[in-house]
Amino acid sequence: MTPAIQIDQVHKSFGAFEALRGIDLTIAQGEFFALLGPNGAGKSTLINLLAGLLRPTSGKLSVMGHDVVNDYQSARRLLGVVPQELVFDPFFNVREMLRFQAGYFGLGKENDAWVDEVIESLGLTDKAYTNMRRLSGGMKRRALIAQALAHKPPVVVLDEPTAGVDVELRQMLWEFIKRLNREGHTIILTTHYLEEAETLCSRVAMLKQGKVVALDSTHNLLNRIPGKNLRLRLAATSLPASLTPLLRSQDEGHYTFALPEVAQIEFVLSELRNADIKVEDMELIEVDLEDVFMEIVRQ
């Protein structure tokens, strides 16, 4: 089967700065895929290349088998992109904007039923005839997601779609996107909310300084770090020196210890007892995708 996304040895330079340094990536049709990395890792550059907003310095990218440079029109028709920025046409209401967006891809009134479905699924029904300028920030975000889906593309890229939005929108969005994925749409997600990627995505690529530094199933990445995290609330202002190597984070009386082995719980508690430090609360936490991410980024 033709991959939804194929990226072969892609480099992108801006003057002397090399934003992408040899990216190889294949995303199968129907995948729910996460593209993660710290700020400046190259995620947005890669998305802009896929959307045809930039051209690679070298290498090739294709969407559903269509080269994004040599067959731009076909590739772009198969791709929907939700950008980070709230960019919209201030002269149209929501429904008009979506119909115009679909029209750019050669779709007319036969697409209206899909536009109505997107509007309803994203909770925009009562705002369908409201001018974009009059919408709240959260509603603008919903409208931009709808805009990316207006032509029913088989591949959807969500670039930080839930940044700064309320819980209601986040839950509504993910229910709709999960449904699209079940129906066969390929979803590519970038997010700083790593719990979203962990819950939703079956496979993850992590970028650092323009390179893919990890690429595996979410399950395998989570198994990359053995042990658990022990989170304690302590009546203390300092810790015994013996516990410092295990300390992962500290925040207002809460201390999180990374324990490669569960048996080390007793060692931590014993050291605290010997130092006469009272444990006020205790929680044992499974390793999550954020732990894996931080380990890889620190390398």
Side-chain angles (χ1 to χ4, degrees), residues 113-189:
W114 170 247
V115 167
D116 289 339
E117 184 176 347
V118 170
I119 287 174
E120 181 179 355
S121 297
L122 290 172
L124 287 165
T125 302
D126 62 344
K127 303 292 183 182
Y129 295 98
T130 301
N131 187 280
M132 287 293 298
R133 286 176 297 182
R134 298 176 58 192
L135 296 179
S136 66
M139 286 295 176
K140 286 189 178 81
R141 176 68 65 185
R142 297 185 195 207
L144 289 181
I145 294 167
Q147 184 180 34
L149 299 172
H151 61 293
K152 204 172 186 178
V155 183
V156 181
V157 178
L158 304 169
D159 192 4
E160 299 287 348
T162 57
V165 303
D166 58 60
V167 174
E168 180 188 8
L169 169 57
R170 188 173 299 175
Q171 292 177 343
M172 180 178 292
L173 167 64
W174 290 134
E175 286 305 313
F176 183 45
I177 295 300
K178 284 190 290 186
R179 195 196 88 193
L180 291 180
N181 183 240
R182 288 193 299 269
E183 293 173 354
H185 291 255
T186 304
I187 310 297
I188 302 165
L189 169 69

Side-chain angles (χ1 to χ4, degrees), residues 76 96-106 146-148 150-151:
R76 188 63 186 87
E96 288 170 338
M97 181 185 72
L98 299 186
R99 292 193 67 184
F100 270 103
Q101 180 71 14
Y104 295 147
F105 295 94
Q147 184 180 34
H151 61 293

Side-chain angles (χ1 to χ4, degrees), residues 31-275:
E31 275 201 86
F32 206 134
F33 189 90
L35 188 63
L36 307 179
N39 291 332
K43 304 184 300 296
S44 292
T45 299
L46 189 58
I47 290 170
N48 287 336
L49 289 170
L50 284 171
L53 299 175
L54 295 172
R55 287 198 170 199
T57 303
S58 62
K60 294 183 177 181
L61 306 93
S62 63
V63 179
M64 301 292 287
H66 298 273
D67 188 281
V68 300
V69 175
N70 298 325
D71 193 8
Y72 167 77
Q73 189 172 13
S74 296
R76 188 63 186 87
R77 185 181 293 117
L78 297 165
L79 187 71
V81 179
V82 180
Q84 291 185 40
E85 300 81 10
L86 292 176
V87 181
F88 57 91
D89 193 319
F91 299 105
F92 298 123
N93 63 41
V94 173
R95 184 180 295 279
E96 288 170 338
M97 181 185 72
L98 299 186
R99 292 193 67 184
F100 270 103
Q101 180 71 14
Y104 295 147
F105 295 94
L107 300 175
K109 290 184 177 180
E110 75 278 3
N111 193 56
D112 282 356
W114 170 247
V115 167
D116 289 339
E117 184 176 347
V118 170
I119 287 174
E120 181 179 355
S121 297
L122 290 172
L124 287 165
T125 302
D126 62 344
K127 303 292 183 182
Y129 295 98
T130 301
N131 187 280
M132 287 293 298
R133 286 176 297 182
R134 298 176 58 192
L135 296 179
S136 66
M139 286 295 176
K140 286 189 178 81
R141 176 68 65 185
R142 297 185 195 207
L144 289 181
I145 294 167
Q147 184 180 34
L149 299 172
H151 61 293
K152 204 172 186 178
V155 183
V156 181
V157 178
L158 304 169
D159 192 4
E160 299 287 348
T162 57
V165 303
D166 58 60
V167 174
E168 180 188 8
L169 169 57
R170 188 173 299 175
Q171 292 177 343
M172 180 178 292
L173 167 64
W174 290 134
E175 286 305 313
F176 183 45
I177 295 300
K178 284 190 290 186
R179 195 196 88 193
L180 291 180
N181 183 240
R182 288 193 299 269
E183 293 173 354
H185 291 255
T186 304
I187 310 297
I188 302 165
L189 169 69
T190 79
T191 179
H192 282 106
Y193 299 108
L194 297 189
E195 69 276 8
E196 291 183 343
E198 182 176 337
T199 302
L200 297 164
C201 301
S202 58
R203 205 157 61 101
V204 175
M206 294 187 181
L207 271 63
K208 180 182 177 183
Q209 297 178 345
K211 289 185 175 182
V212 175
V213 292
L215 174 61
D216 210 334
S217 69
T218 307
H219 174 76
N220 287 344
L221 286 172
L222 290 172
N223 287 334
R224 182 168 172 157
I225 301 178
K228 300 180 185 293
N229 292 321
L230 178 64
R231 181 174 169 83
L232 303 175
R233 189 171 76 239
L234 303 176
T237 56
S238 62
L239 291 175
S242 58
L243 297 183
T244 302
L246 298 175
L247 185 64
R248 177 178 172 233
S249 64
Q250 175 183 348
D251 180 33
E252 296 182 355
H254 288 87
Y255 298 79
T256 301
F257 300 92
L259 307 182
E261 298 178 7
V262 176
Q264 289 177 291
I265 295 173
E266 177 53 34
F267 169 73
V268 173
L269 297 179
S270 175
E271 291 298 292
L272 292 173
R273 283 195 299 269
N274 292 338

